[in-house]
Structures are given as structure tokens and as C-alpha cells.
């Protein structure tokens, strides 16, 4: 391996992310990560200072990736809930996560393991989700519902579930909820579900049974 490759901190970070995302990954050692990245343990310490420093770098990367997804949604509120739009959640998630991204598994592992690290990631997802939802309300793309705080909490829970429960949701849906056709179906159904309630809480009727943008 060339020096430029072996000394690449993102390569080490990504190898650590994949290990940490697996069951028992919290017990991975510096040597385990060095082996996975094809570098020496000393190089990891040189770049990150300690295992804790590496974990912080992984968390920062995960936070940046999730934040980028939700900022993408907020940048085009109407397009975010249109599964046929290049600005949709489905399209953004597909490009960000791909078929083999360890990020959703890492988020789930952080939730299961608990502690400050998991709590911080959940807080990030829920805060960013609520901010994106508010942008959609301000743009008139969605209704806040009769109880805006409860509606925002529901949307945050849906976003968190899509990210952290990717694999079980995929089994239930019959397709990956974060990529391709599965993401389009997931996004469209969430939009239909939220559109069925008017601002006053009454059923919006049959006009919302299809895609809200039809």
C-alpha cells in the first residue's frame, strides 16, 4: 500500500466506522482497526491520539453525513416529499448511503449501546429533522397539523427509524427504505400519511389517497 493511501485518516476512520457498526464493535481494538485499514496501530495513534479520539472522529463524520441529508431536505421543502424530484429524501438518501453504507447500522448500534454517544446522535437526528420539517411548513409544502409539536416529534421518529432500522424495515417493506424504489415508496407513503390530516385535524378525504403531488 502506498504511503499516501496508508496515511489517509478518512481511510482509517471509515474502517473504524465499519467495525464499530457490527455487533460487538464497541470492543474493537486499535489493532483490529489497524488490520481492517491496512495500517499500523502507531499510525492510528499518530493521527487520532487515542481510541477515544478516533471514536470522536467517527461520530463527527456520522453527524456531518446525517446533517447533510436533512439540510438537503430543508433546501427544497416541496421537492423533499416528491418521490419523483431530484431533491427528494429518497434521492438524497440513495446518493448518501448507497447499498452498503455502515452508517445506519452504526446509528442503530449507538442507540442499542446507549450512553452519551448514542444520545448525542439521536439528539442530532431529531433536531435536524424538526428543523427540516419546519422549513417545509414555512414553505407551505406540508401542514403543521392540529398539534405541531406532536407532528414534529412524529416526523423526527420516522426519520430516525428510516436511518437506524434500515434492515428490519427493508424486510418489512420488501425493499431498502434508503435507496432506489424502496426509498421512493417509503417517502411517498409517509407524505400520504401526513397529508391525510388537515390543519384542523379532520380527515382530508380521498384526494390524498394518491401521491399528494399527482
Amino acid at each position: 500500500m502506498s504511503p499516501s493511501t496508508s496515511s489517509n485518516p478518512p481511510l482509517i476512520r471509515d474502517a473504524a466506522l465499519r467495525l464499530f457498526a457490527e455487533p460487538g464493535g464497541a470492543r474493537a481494538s486499535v489493532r483490529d482497526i489497524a488490520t481492517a485499514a491496512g495500517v499500523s496501530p502507531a499510525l492510528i495513534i499518530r493521527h487520532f491520539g487515542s481510541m477515544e479520539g478516533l471514536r470522536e472522529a467517527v461520530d463527527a463524520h456520522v453527524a456531518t453525513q446525517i446533517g447533510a441529508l436533512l439540510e438537503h431536505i430543508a433546501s427544497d421543502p416541496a421537492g423533499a416529499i416528491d418521490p419523483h424530484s431530484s431533491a427528494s429524501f429518497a434521492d438524497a438518501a440513495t446518493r448518501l448511503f448507497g447499498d452498503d453504507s455502515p452508517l445506519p447500522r452504526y446509528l442503530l448500534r449507538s442507540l442499542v449501546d446507549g450512553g452519551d454517544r448514542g444520545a448525542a446522535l439521536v439528539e442530532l437526528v431529531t433536531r435536524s429533522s424538526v428543523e427540516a420539517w419546519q422549513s417545509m411548513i414555512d414553505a407551505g409544502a406540508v401542514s403543521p397539523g392540529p398539534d405541531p409539536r406532536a407532528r414534529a416529534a412524529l416526523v423526527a421518529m420516522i426519520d430516525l427509524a428510516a436511518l437506524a432500522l434500515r434492515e428490519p424495515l427493508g424486510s418489512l417493506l420488501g425493499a431498502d427504505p434508503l435507496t432506489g424504489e424502496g426509498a421512493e415508496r417509503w417517502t411517498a407513503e409517509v407524505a400520504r400519511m401526513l397529508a391525510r390530516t388537515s390543519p384542523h385535524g379532520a380527515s382530508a378525504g380521498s384526494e390524498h389517497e394518491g401521491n399528494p403531488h399527482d
Side-chain angles (χ1 to χ4, degrees), residues 2-3 12 17 22 31 36 39 43 46 52 76 78 107 117 122 143 147 152 154 162-163 180 191:
S2 68
I12 297 171
L17 172 58
E22 297 302 322
R31 187 169 296 279
V39 302
L43 191 62
R46 183 188 310 165
E52 184 60 26
D76 186 350
L107 179 58
R117 182 166 281 112
V122 170
S143 164
D147 187 340
L154 173 63
L163 293 169

Short mmCIF file of all heavy atoms in Angstrom, two decimals, residues 2-3 12 17 22 31 36 39 43 46 52 76 78 107 117 122 143 147 152 154 162-163 180 191:
data_model
loop_
_atom_site.label_atom_id
_atom_site.label_comp_id
_atom_site.label_asym_id
_atom_site.label_seq_id
_atom_site.Cartn_x
_atom_site.Cartn_y
_atom_site.Cartn_z
N SER A 2 0.55 2.21 -0.82
CA SER A 2 1.39 3.40 -0.94
C SER A 2 1.28 4.25 0.32
O SER A 2 0.28 4.21 1.03
CB SER A 2 0.93 4.24 -2.14
OG SER A 2 -0.34 4.79 -1.90
N PRO A 3 2.32 5.04 0.63
CA PRO A 3 2.27 5.89 1.82
C PRO A 3 1.09 6.83 1.81
O PRO A 3 0.49 7.10 2.83
CB PRO A 3 3.61 6.64 1.74
CG PRO A 3 4.52 5.76 0.95
CD PRO A 3 3.64 5.10 -0.06
N ILE A 12 -8.79 5.30 7.59
CA ILE A 12 -8.80 4.72 8.94
C ILE A 12 -10.16 4.94 9.59
O ILE A 12 -10.73 4.03 10.18
CB ILE A 12 -7.68 5.35 9.80
CG1 ILE A 12 -6.31 5.05 9.19
CG2 ILE A 12 -7.76 4.84 11.24
CD1 ILE A 12 -5.17 5.82 9.85
N LEU A 17 -15.45 2.93 11.37
CA LEU A 17 -16.90 3.03 11.31
C LEU A 17 -17.52 1.68 10.98
O LEU A 17 -18.51 1.26 11.61
CB LEU A 17 -17.30 4.07 10.25
CG LEU A 17 -18.79 4.18 9.89
CD1 LEU A 17 -19.62 4.50 11.12
CD2 LEU A 17 -18.98 5.25 8.81
N GLU A 22 -20.69 -3.09 13.61
CA GLU A 22 -21.01 -4.51 13.73
C GLU A 22 -21.28 -4.88 15.19
O GLU A 22 -20.83 -4.19 16.11
CB GLU A 22 -19.86 -5.36 13.20
CG GLU A 22 -19.58 -5.14 11.72
CD GLU A 22 -20.79 -5.44 10.85
OE1 GLU A 22 -21.53 -6.39 11.15
OE2 GLU A 22 -20.99 -4.70 9.87
N ARG A 31 -5.63 -2.31 17.30
CA ARG A 31 -5.03 -3.29 16.40
C ARG A 31 -6.06 -3.84 15.41
O ARG A 31 -5.75 -4.05 14.24
CB ARG A 31 -4.41 -4.43 17.22
CG ARG A 31 -3.61 -5.43 16.37
CD ARG A 31 -2.80 -6.37 17.25
NE ARG A 31 -1.80 -5.65 18.01
CZ ARG A 31 -0.62 -5.28 17.53
NH1 ARG A 31 -0.32 -5.54 16.26
NH2 ARG A 31 0.23 -4.66 18.29
N ALA A 36 -7.95 -3.83 9.75
CA ALA A 36 -9.01 -3.58 8.77
C ALA A 36 -8.62 -2.48 7.79
O ALA A 36 -8.99 -2.53 6.61
CB ALA A 36 -10.30 -3.20 9.50
N VAL A 39 -3.14 -0.53 8.04
CA VAL A 39 -2.13 0.40 8.53
C VAL A 39 -1.56 -0.13 9.85
O VAL A 39 -2.02 -1.15 10.37
CB VAL A 39 -2.72 1.81 8.76
CG1 VAL A 39 -3.33 2.35 7.47
CG2 VAL A 39 -3.77 1.79 9.87
N LEU A 43 0.19 4.35 13.50
CA LEU A 43 -0.30 5.40 12.61
C LEU A 43 -1.66 5.93 13.09
O LEU A 43 -1.95 7.12 12.98
CB LEU A 43 -0.42 4.85 11.19
CG LEU A 43 -0.68 5.88 10.09
CD1 LEU A 43 0.47 6.89 10.01
CD2 LEU A 43 -0.89 5.19 8.75
N ARG A 46 -1.00 8.21 15.88
CA ARG A 46 -0.39 9.43 15.37
C ARG A 46 -1.47 10.39 14.84
O ARG A 46 -1.40 11.60 15.07
CB ARG A 46 0.60 9.11 14.27
CG ARG A 46 1.34 10.34 13.72
CD ARG A 46 2.17 9.97 12.51
NE ARG A 46 3.00 8.80 12.76
CZ ARG A 46 3.60 8.10 11.79
NH1 ARG A 46 3.44 8.45 10.52
NH2 ARG A 46 4.34 7.05 12.09
N GLU A 52 -10.30 6.96 21.81
CA GLU A 52 -11.38 7.92 22.03
C GLU A 52 -11.36 9.01 20.96
O GLU A 52 -12.42 9.44 20.48
CB GLU A 52 -11.27 8.54 23.42
CG GLU A 52 -12.40 9.49 23.77
CD GLU A 52 -13.78 8.83 23.76
OE1 GLU A 52 -13.86 7.60 23.96
OE2 GLU A 52 -14.78 9.55 23.52
N ASP A 76 -35.02 22.30 -0.22
CA ASP A 76 -36.11 22.28 -1.21
C ASP A 76 -37.28 21.55 -0.56
O ASP A 76 -37.51 20.37 -0.82
CB ASP A 76 -35.67 21.58 -2.49
CG ASP A 76 -36.72 21.67 -3.59
OD1 ASP A 76 -37.85 22.11 -3.30
OD2 ASP A 76 -36.42 21.31 -4.74
N ALA A 78 -40.54 21.45 -0.81
CA ALA A 78 -41.57 20.81 -1.63
C ALA A 78 -41.01 19.58 -2.34
O ALA A 78 -41.66 18.53 -2.40
CB ALA A 78 -42.12 21.79 -2.65
N LEU A 107 -25.60 3.91 13.61
CA LEU A 107 -26.58 4.66 14.37
C LEU A 107 -27.40 3.72 15.25
O LEU A 107 -27.62 4.00 16.44
CB LEU A 107 -27.50 5.43 13.43
CG LEU A 107 -28.61 6.27 14.07
CD1 LEU A 107 -28.03 7.30 15.03
CD2 LEU A 107 -29.44 6.96 12.99
N ARG A 117 -22.80 8.96 23.79
CA ARG A 117 -22.56 8.95 22.34
C ARG A 117 -23.86 8.68 21.58
O ARG A 117 -24.20 9.39 20.63
CB ARG A 117 -21.51 7.90 22.01
CG ARG A 117 -21.12 7.82 20.56
CD ARG A 117 -19.86 7.04 20.35
NE ARG A 117 -18.68 7.82 20.66
CZ ARG A 117 -17.87 7.60 21.68
NH1 ARG A 117 -18.12 6.62 22.52
NH2 ARG A 117 -16.82 8.37 21.89
N VAL A 122 -28.82 10.70 18.53
CA VAL A 122 -30.28 10.79 18.47
C VAL A 122 -30.72 12.25 18.52
O VAL A 122 -31.61 12.68 17.78
CB VAL A 122 -30.93 10.00 19.62
CG1 VAL A 122 -32.42 10.28 19.70
CG2 VAL A 122 -30.70 8.51 19.43
N SER A 143 -48.60 20.55 6.13
CA SER A 143 -49.37 21.16 7.20
C SER A 143 -48.74 20.84 8.56
O SER A 143 -48.28 19.72 8.77
CB SER A 143 -50.81 20.63 7.18
OG SER A 143 -51.47 20.92 8.39
N ASP A 147 -51.58 19.72 16.17
CA ASP A 147 -50.63 19.73 17.28
C ASP A 147 -49.23 19.74 16.67
O ASP A 147 -48.62 18.68 16.47
CB ASP A 147 -50.83 18.50 18.17
CG ASP A 147 -49.98 18.54 19.43
OD1 ASP A 147 -48.98 19.28 19.46
OD2 ASP A 147 -50.32 17.80 20.39
N ALA A 152 -44.21 17.30 14.68
CA ALA A 152 -42.75 17.37 14.51
C ALA A 152 -42.06 16.17 15.15
O ALA A 152 -41.11 15.61 14.60
CB ALA A 152 -42.21 18.67 15.11
N LEU A 154 -43.37 13.22 15.58
CA LEU A 154 -43.67 12.06 14.75
C LEU A 154 -42.74 12.01 13.55
O LEU A 154 -42.19 10.95 13.21
CB LEU A 154 -45.13 12.12 14.28
CG LEU A 154 -45.56 11.05 13.27
CD1 LEU A 154 -45.45 9.65 13.89
CD2 LEU A 154 -46.99 11.31 12.79
N ALA A 162 -36.13 5.34 9.83
CA ALA A 162 -35.64 5.04 8.49
C ALA A 162 -34.13 4.85 8.49
O ALA A 162 -33.60 3.99 7.77
CB ALA A 162 -36.04 6.15 7.52
N LEU A 163 -33.43 5.64 9.30
CA LEU A 163 -31.97 5.55 9.35
C LEU A 163 -31.49 4.37 10.19
O LEU A 163 -30.66 3.58 9.75
CB LEU A 163 -31.40 6.86 9.91
CG LEU A 163 -31.58 8.10 9.04
CD1 LEU A 163 -31.22 9.35 9.83
CD2 LEU A 163 -30.75 8.00 7.79
N GLY A 180 -33.18 3.79 -3.88
CA GLY A 180 -33.95 3.40 -5.05
C GLY A 180 -35.45 3.36 -4.86
O GLY A 180 -36.06 4.22 -4.22
N ALA A 191 -45.49 10.78 3.06
CA ALA A 191 -46.13 12.01 2.61
C ALA A 191 -47.64 11.86 2.57
O ALA A 191 -48.39 12.75 2.99
CB ALA A 191 -45.60 12.41 1.23
#
